[in-house]
Amino acid sequence: MFAVEYFEVECPEPLGAEYYKQIANDVLLDHNLLKVVSKLHIFIDPRIPVFVAVGILKKITTVIRVRDFANVNPQEGKMTLVISDETYLAPTLKIFWERFGKEKVEQPDRFTIILYEVPASPAEIEEIIVADPSESLHKDLIYALRCIAPEGFRLRSEIFTTEKFIFVASEDTLAEDIDSLVKAKFALMGEVPP
């Protein structure tokens, strides 16, 4: 079962459409993108040749804060952070070094950070944003769509906004009427292009 609200692959060859639907699902699943794509319509016609993917993105509002992966323990003259998920350790250290200076930040092991005499309260430390997943979303989606597009379709046009995307690829120069094709595919999803 697909996790998107609308997911369609259109191809003149029905078997080819089924294969591409499975390929697209697998690639989006492997890149953890099914949870951020709300609607997706893919059109492939090897006779033209053209690959068009248009879609709607779900709103991503979750940012990662220190409190999401660390406990901040205030002590006399220092704060000890106990890290439960080291995924965000490197960006956290970088932020702390920039904000407080390397001399006030110590990392005795991979699950501990000690901040000495920093001008911030424990509550302020907990609220520091260390990662915004939406920043890498477009890059990840472009990479995934390049994996889905047929081999050899090197000429590309990509348009991404915070809510919608268009990805067109071909072996040949893109046709002038590609805009009408893109509009038609958005219309099939009940949407308008960005």
Side-chain angles (χ1 to χ4, degrees), residues 1-7 18 21-22 24-26 28-29 33-35 37-38 58:
M1 183 71 184
F2 300 110
V4 294
E5 175 185 325
Y6 174 99
F7 185 15
E18 282 304 311
K21 192 167 194 172
Q22 189 59 51
N25 183 65
D26 291 347
L28 294 174
L29 185 63
L33 292 168
L34 284 176
K35 65 182 178 185
V37 175
S38 173
K58 296 175 184 171

Side-chain angles (χ1 to χ4, degrees), residues 23 42 48 52 56 76 79 85 89 106 156 162 168 172 176 178:
I23 290 168
I42 295 175
I48 297 177
V52 176
I56 307 299
E76 187 67 36
M79 281 184 254
D85 180 359
L89 183 61
E106 181 185 338
R156 291 185 294 269
T162 56
V168 180
D172 302 327
E176 291 179 20
I178 202 72

Side-chain angles (χ1 to χ4, degrees), residues 54-73:
V54 298
I56 307 299
L57 299 170
K58 296 175 184 171
K59 295 214 185 304
I60 300 175
T61 56
T62 306
V63 294
I64 307 299
R65 299 176 189 277
V66 170
R67 67 178 148 87
D68 295 326
F69 62 90
N71 291 324
V72 179
N73 302 313

Side-chain angles (χ1 to χ4, degrees), residues 34 98-99 154 161 166:
L34 284 176
E98 289 171 357
R99 202 174 275 193
R154 303 269 184 239
T161 68
I166 301 169

Side-chain angles (χ1 to χ4, degrees), residues 77-102:
K78 66 180 181 178
M79 281 184 254
T80 302
L81 284 76
V82 179
I83 310 295
S84 61
D85 180 359
E86 60 184 304
T87 305
Y88 304 104
L89 183 61
T92 302
L93 285 169
K94 183 178 179 188
I95 290 167
F96 287 166
W97 291 337
E98 289 171 357
R99 202 174 275 193
F100 307 124
K102 286 188 177 186

Side-chain angles (χ1 to χ4, degrees), residues 4 11 14-16 40 56 59 69 71 81 92 104 112 122 131 139 145 157 172-173:
V4 294
C11 180
L15 187 58
L40 176 63
I56 307 299
K59 295 214 185 304
F69 62 90
N71 291 324
L81 284 76
T92 302
K104 293 190 177 205
T112 309
K139 180 181 75 167
L145 291 170
S157 173
D172 302 327
T173 304

